[in-house]
Amino acid sequence: MSETTGLAAPAAEPAAPDFSGWTCPAPLRDQPRVVMGHGGGGALSSELVEHIFAPAFGGELLAGLSDSAALTLGGTRLAFSTDSFVVRPLFFPGGSIGDLAVNGTVNDLAMSGARAAYLSCGFILEEGVEVTLVSRVAEALGAAARTAGVEVATGDTKVVEAGRGDGIYLNTAGIGLIPEGVDIRPQRAVPGDVVIVSGEIGVHGVAVMSVRDGLEFGVEVESDCAALGGLVEAMLAVTPDLHVLRDPTRGGLAAALNEIAVAARAGVVLEEKAVPVPPPVANACAVLGLDPMYVANEGKLVAFVPREHAEAVLAAMREHPLGAQAAVIGECVEAHPGMVVARTGLGGTRVVDLPVGEQLPRIC
Amino acid sequence: MSETTGLAAPAAEPAAPDFSGWTCPAPLRDQPRVVMGHGGGGALSSELVEHIFAPAFGGELLAGLSDSAALTLGGTRLAFSTDSFVVRPLFFPGGSIGDLAVNGTVNDLAMSGARAAYLSCGFILEEGVEVTLVSRVAEALGAAARTAGVEVATGDTKVVEAGRGDGIYLNTAGIGLIPEGVDIRPQRAVPGDVVIVSGEIGVHGVAVMSVRDGLEFGVEVESDCAALGGLVEAMLAVTPDLHVLRDPTRGGLAAALNEIAVAARAGVVLEEKAVPVPPPVANACAVLGLDPMYVANEGKLVAFVPREHAEAVLAAMREHPLGAQAAVIGECVEAHPGMVVARTGLGGTRVVDLPVGEQLPRIC
């Protein structure tokens, strides 16, 4: 046991309860119409991909469940990813839809170990929106791109009638090089891996909620929205053999860990009290009846790291400004494959399930 | 003069009128709010790019005015492009938003000479839309991707509240390899180039208009929506030295030619009667008061080809199913740089200006 990192030897399984009869979540009852939860990054989103998009599109890459696709083109290994952004409001404490559009896609690429090189950018504007607002969003996007070291290479603009949009929707896609020897994807989590989170969770979601129409509340947090390419490079400098990286956006840490557990057919055990939740987030969640484990982040990552490299990777993360609060929060286990279990502060355990939808829609 | 191709020796400039005092279009008066025309692919769209997006994003590639960006990553030359799709209705004679989403981006890549390899796909769904409709669109998209030989590698889904969208909006981005020795971009048009169109124009726009709410009319045309990668390969097999390719989508042939003329600082002279307009399109345009030159196409291209290769390129196009109706429609000239002039059937000339907005919004 290390005093500084909290790393333990492979732990004994939690004594109770018996999960032997448990299987991966079954498909939810078919919904005849799209509900907000289909965009929430939880079980309903997964169902759309598994039951509609993947069969319709065919192909292997989409079924990989990664934040980005790893592909080879002209002998070059590339990561390729896309996200649309419908956050409301467009500006929030610590960021804007323009920052999200850059950092969301840059981070999806970083989760393959790739440094983002080029972005595309598609605007869907609602008729009547002020041109100065479009300009402010574009400037935020450009500034975020320069900070992340990525170039906006190509773009497109469409306009829809007033009442058919909501000001500004954005899509970005991004490409970046995957370094030699790097193979980071959810399927690579194996029992024994140490689970590390790069910092305090729940900050982005609470920051956006705090300024949402009809929900305004005073809170001293700003979104953690940031580009994680540099942090990932620092981690890869320790070892190219990181197993899994994931940025816990929609659906929060709970959704990210569940997706990894399912993809890898492995279990995850968390130490609940080791998960860093800043007091303002804890307080806001207590008031709103939310669980911080399910609240979105936009500048954090969770890593599954081989035990022998974990201490060095954690130290490298803590050296980086975006990983100063990094912490070991659990481990990957053989038991209960596909399931995430948290050891509570009271000595018990609870299942941390995949959320069905999301606690608050349009958080990114 | 060739009987079969209609290729002429470099023509004498049209006698009248005097365009000597003419300059490239000045910025339109600032619009305080976004209007539909900002998404029309005409002057207002260009203004958004030139005055807002390009300065905000910085970078060289976006300012290139190409349908796709040509870039080098890991020693590999790639084309990268994006389009959002907001067509109304979602299904129309000859295609759907799913077909457009594939072919629009595949064609943008083809206009750099690149064969599309991978697509990303972002859905913005409106709460309440039927899941079966999402499924039909996804299946159309998948089928179009297989036809075009491109793989959907990565995707994203967001949902917005009922009344904040219009069923389904789509974005695709695509990447493809640019073959060795190929450098196709609007700036490369030079006086003497022969201008070739790959087939009959105006079909997509008229097909969509014919089923638009409040505008339904009987017409026997189906959208020309198709992937042009194979046609471009057939042209490149004749010579890698094609100067410019452009798919005349929003804003039609007129917008495409104007953009090329401005980018290359060259003039374009069209033989109006050489431009192939099918009778149903001509009739529909006459009824609706539209000019076919400004109506959108989704399976056509216009090429600027060095005169010495023009006849062979035209012959190769006519061998291909998507180029069977290919025709020489004009040439690139030194006079009136930045301007497109048509020789009318009556022996006169007229300026074919860049449209300000679009004749009918949400055509793609």
Side-chain angles (χ1 to χ4, degrees):
Chain A
M1 180 95 178
S2 152
E3 285 285 81
T4 52
T5 65
L7 290 182
E13 292 311 309
D18 176 19
F19 295 120
S20 55
W22 189 90
T23 55
C24 287
L28 299 175
R29 197 162 48 84
D30 285 349
Q31 296 274 353
R33 291 181 180 274
V34 168
V35 297
M36 295 304 294
H38 281 113
L44 284 166
S45 293
S46 298
E47 273 195 26
L48 270 187
V49 175
E50 283 170 37
H51 297 292
I52 294 185
F53 295 138
F57 298 165
E60 296 295 308
L61 289 164
L62 199 70
L65 282 174
S66 282
D67 283 337
S68 62
L71 47 90
T72 302
L73 198 54
T76 298
R77 278 186 77 217
L78 298 175
F80 184 31
S81 186
T82 192
D83 263 332
S84 298
F85 298 88
V86 298
V87 67
R88 196 162 50 86
L90 296 173
F91 289 82
F92 46 80
S96 72
I97 190 172
D99 300 280
L100 284 179
V102 169
N103 295 332
T105 293
V106 163
N107 291 351
D108 282 347
L109 297 175
M111 299 307 109
S112 294
R115 186 71 181 242
Y118 296 100
L119 290 184
S120 68
C121 178
F123 279 81
I124 299 179
L125 304 177
E126 187 185 13
E127 182 189 16
V129 69
E130 290 181 8
V131 172
T132 51
L133 183 65
V134 179
S135 186
R136 281 176 61 208
V137 167
E139 279 162 19
L141 195 156
R146 284 185 287 278
T147 300
V150 64
E151 179 172 351
V152 180
T154 185
D156 176 63
T157 307
K158 295 290 189 301
V159 179
V160 295
E161 298 86 351
R164 302 281 182 180
D166 197 8
I168 300 175
Y169 296 146
L170 265 174
N171 175 284
T172 52
I175 50 177
L177 284 177
I178 302 176
E180 197 82 28
V182 170
D183 179 23
I184 302 173
R185 52 195 164 87
Q187 292 81 358
R188 288 199 67 217
V190 290
D193 280 356
V194 173
V195 181
I196 303 175
V197 70
S198 64
E200 294 178 328
I201 67 163
V203 187
H204 173 72
V206 166
V208 173
M209 289 180 212
S210 75
V211 290
R212 180 67 61 84
D213 286 347
L215 196 72
E216 295 92 338
F217 57 90
V219 69
E220 318 86 87
V221 293
E222 296 204 330
S223 169
D224 58 345
C225 187
L228 296 169
L231 177 61
V232 170
E233 278 186 359
M235 297 165 72
L236 286 172
V238 175
T239 172
D241 191 31
L242 304 175
H243 286 171
V244 187
L245 295 174
R246 195 91 174 181
D247 58 334
T249 55
R250 288 179 290 175
L253 190 60
L257 292 174
N258 270 278
E259 285 162 11
I260 295 165
V262 169
R265 301 175 188 278
V268 174
V269 175
L270 290 183
E271 293 294 340
E272 196 164 55
K273 66 179 191 307
V275 177
V277 181
V281 169
N283 294 340
C285 284
V287 169
L288 296 167
L290 303 177
D291 181 340
M293 295 281 285
Y294 293 89
V295 176
N297 311 274
E298 289 291 343
K300 296 300 182 308
L301 63 80
V302 60
F304 282 56
V305 181
R307 187 164 298 268
E308 65 268 28
H309 298 301
E311 205 152 339
V313 168
L314 182 67
M317 292 173 76
R318 287 181 172 170
E319 290 286 306
H320 192 281
L322 293 175
Q325 314 289 323
V328 170
I329 58 170
E331 62 184 327
C332 187
V333 298
E334 266 183 55
H336 50 78
M339 185 159 54
V340 180
V341 172
R343 290 196 186 109
T344 65
L346 304 170
T349 60
R350 65 172 177 124
V351 174
V352 180
D353 212 348
L354 183 64
V356 172
E358 63 190 324
Q359 294 177 319
L360 197 78
R362 297 181 57 184
I363 211 75
C364 64
Chain B
M1 180 95 179
S2 151
E3 286 285 75
T4 53
T5 65
L7 289 182
E13 290 311 310
D18 176 21
F19 297 120
S20 56
W22 190 90
T23 54
C24 288
L28 300 173
R29 198 162 49 83
D30 284 351
Q31 297 273 352
R33 290 181 181 274
V34 169
V35 296
M36 294 304 294
H38 281 113
L44 285 166
S45 293
S46 299
E47 274 194 27
L48 270 187
V49 175
E50 283 169 38
H51 296 292
I52 293 186
F53 295 139
F57 299 165
E60 296 293 308
L61 289 164
L62 199 71
L65 281 174
S66 283
D67 283 337
S68 62
L71 47 90
T72 302
L73 198 54
T76 298
R77 276 186 77 216
L78 297 175
F80 184 32
S81 186
T82 192
D83 262 331
S84 298
F85 299 88
V86 299
V87 66
R88 197 160 50 85
L90 296 174
F91 288 82
F92 47 80
S96 72
I97 191 172
D99 300 279
L100 285 178
V102 170
N103 295 332
T105 294
V106 164
N107 291 350
D108 282 348
L109 297 175
M111 299 307 109
S112 295
R115 186 72 181 241
Y118 296 100
L119 290 184
S120 68
C121 178
F123 280 80
I124 299 179
L125 304 176
E126 186 184 12
E127 182 189 17
V129 68
E130 290 181 8
V131 172
T132 52
L133 183 65
V134 179
S135 186
R136 282 176 62 210
V137 166
E139 278 161 19
L141 195 155
R146 284 185 288 278
T147 300
V150 64
E151 179 173 351
V152 180
T154 184
D156 176 63
T157 307
K158 295 290 191 300
V159 179
V160 296
E161 299 86 352
R164 302 283 181 179
D166 196 8
I168 300 175
Y169 295 146
L170 265 174
N171 175 285
T172 51
I175 51 177
L177 283 177
I178 301 176
E180 196 81 28
V182 169
D183 179 23
I184 301 173
R185 51 194 165 88
Q187 292 80 359
R188 289 199 65 216
V190 290
D193 281 355
V194 174
V195 181
I196 303 175
V197 70
S198 65
E200 295 178 330
I201 66 163
V203 188
H204 174 72
V206 168
V208 173
M209 288 181 212
S210 74
V211 290
R212 180 67 62 83
D213 285 347
L215 196 72
E216 295 94 338
F217 56 91
V219 70
E220 318 86 87
V221 294
E222 295 203 330
S223 169
D224 59 344
C225 187
L228 296 168
L231 177 62
V232 171
E233 279 187 359
M235 298 166 70
L236 287 171
V238 175
T239 173
D241 191 30
L242 304 175
H243 286 171
V244 187
L245 295 174
R246 196 90 174 183
D247 59 334
T249 55
R250 288 179 291 176
L253 191 59
L257 292 173
N258 270 279
E259 286 163 11
I260 295 165
V262 169
R265 301 174 188 278
V268 174
V269 176
L270 290 183
E271 293 295 339
E272 195 164 55
K273 66 180 189 305
V275 177
V277 181
V281 169
N283 294 341
C285 285
V287 169
L288 296 168
L290 303 177
D291 182 339
M293 296 280 287
Y294 294 90
V295 177
N297 311 275
E298 288 292 343
K300 297 298 181 311
L301 63 81
V302 60
F304 282 56
V305 181
R307 186 165 297 268
E308 64 270 27
H309 299 302
E311 206 151 339
V313 168
L314 183 66
M317 292 172 77
R318 287 180 173 171
E319 291 285 307
H320 192 281
L322 294 176
Q325 313 289 324
V328 170
I329 58 170
E331 61 185 327
C332 187
V333 298
E334 267 183 54
H336 49 78
M339 185 160 52
V340 180
V341 172
R343 290 196 187 109
T344 65
L346 304 170
T349 59
R350 66 173 177 122
V351 174
V352 180
D353 213 349
L354 183 65
V356 173
E358 63 190 325
Q359 295 175 319
L360 197 76
R362 297 183 56 184
I363 211 76
C364 63

